[in-house]
Amino acid sequence: MRQKILEKSNELFLNLGFKSVTMDEIASALGVSKKTIYKYFKNKTELVDAVTKHTFCVISDGIDKICALKENPIDELFYIKEFVMTHLKDEKSSPQYQLQKYYPKIYESLKQKQFHIMQGCIVENLKYGVELKVYRKNIDFEFISRIYFNGMTSIKNKDLFPLKNYSMKTIMNYYLEYHLRGICTAKGIQQLEHQLKNNQL
């Protein structure tokens, strides 16, 4: 039952936002009493914390599997983007932004974990890209990976990038292009152009 509560809550939070969804609505969507949910989670904050940890684990495992395939590093970033967008339902409700605003402690903890995972993944991506000569050989792996993480976090700020002006898919594609054009060799740019054609908005 706990797993069902996590999955249904995650779906509702992603579609409607962490703030909007009540415990009553989660119980109703599951067809159970609110008391059943409180058997597993003492309050909404505890449920939000469990849902974010669960989703983080699912996404991290998926990213690890994509990285293990050792695809072309440029393609790999687009595959990761597609995978994350699928699991976060295109982020229509700005979940990360809402988490930061209404559950700051949970957000900070999640951000630290995201940084740790993404840092390792991006550094490996950069090293492999240099090896394959699709990225420039003189790039600073640590610096680029930190800038990449910071940019990925910032584009989810709906004050900076209102969803009425940009879909999350559009912003993600713009950001990937921005990131890759700064580090690609001529060979890499060719691969990037190919990906952009396939990801036309």
Side-chain angles (χ1 to χ4, degrees), residues 2 5 58 84 87-88 92 96 99 117-118 145 176:
R2 188 177 191 276
I5 295 169
V58 169
V84 171
H87 279 270
L88 295 182
K92 292 186 186 78
Q96 197 146 311
L99 201 62
I117 290 287
M118 200 183 278
S145 63
L176 273 182

Side-chain angles (χ1 to χ4, degrees), residues 54-137:
H54 169 70
T55 306
F56 173 79
C57 288
V58 169
I59 289 174
S60 297
D61 288 348
I63 289 173
D64 285 345
K65 283 174 184 159
I66 292 169
C67 293
L69 296 173
K70 276 295 186 189
E71 297 280 354
N72 178 288
I74 294 165
D75 293 342
E76 180 179 272
L77 291 181
F78 279 92
Y79 295 150
I80 289 172
K81 179 209 72 169
E82 286 301 325
F83 173 78
V84 171
M85 294 295 289
T86 301
H87 279 270
L88 295 182
K89 316 286 185 202
D90 292 345
E91 306 200 67
K92 292 186 186 78
S93 65
S94 307
Q96 197 146 311
Y97 179 72
Q98 284 205 4
L99 201 62
Q100 183 178 10
K101 191 171 180 184
Y102 300 110
Y103 299 94
K105 284 185 181 169
I106 296 172
Y107 171 78
E108 280 306 320
S109 168
L110 179 66
K111 191 177 169 188
Q112 288 301 317
K113 287 192 282 190
Q114 285 175 332
F115 175 73
H116 178 71
I117 290 287
M118 200 183 278
Q119 181 80 347
C121 171
I122 294 303
V123 166
E124 285 306 306
N125 179 277
L126 292 168
K127 287 178 178 174
Y128 191 43
V130 169
E131 195 184 310
L132 294 187
K133 299 185 168 56
V134 293
Y135 298 157
R136 293 183 287 108
K137 63 181 178 186

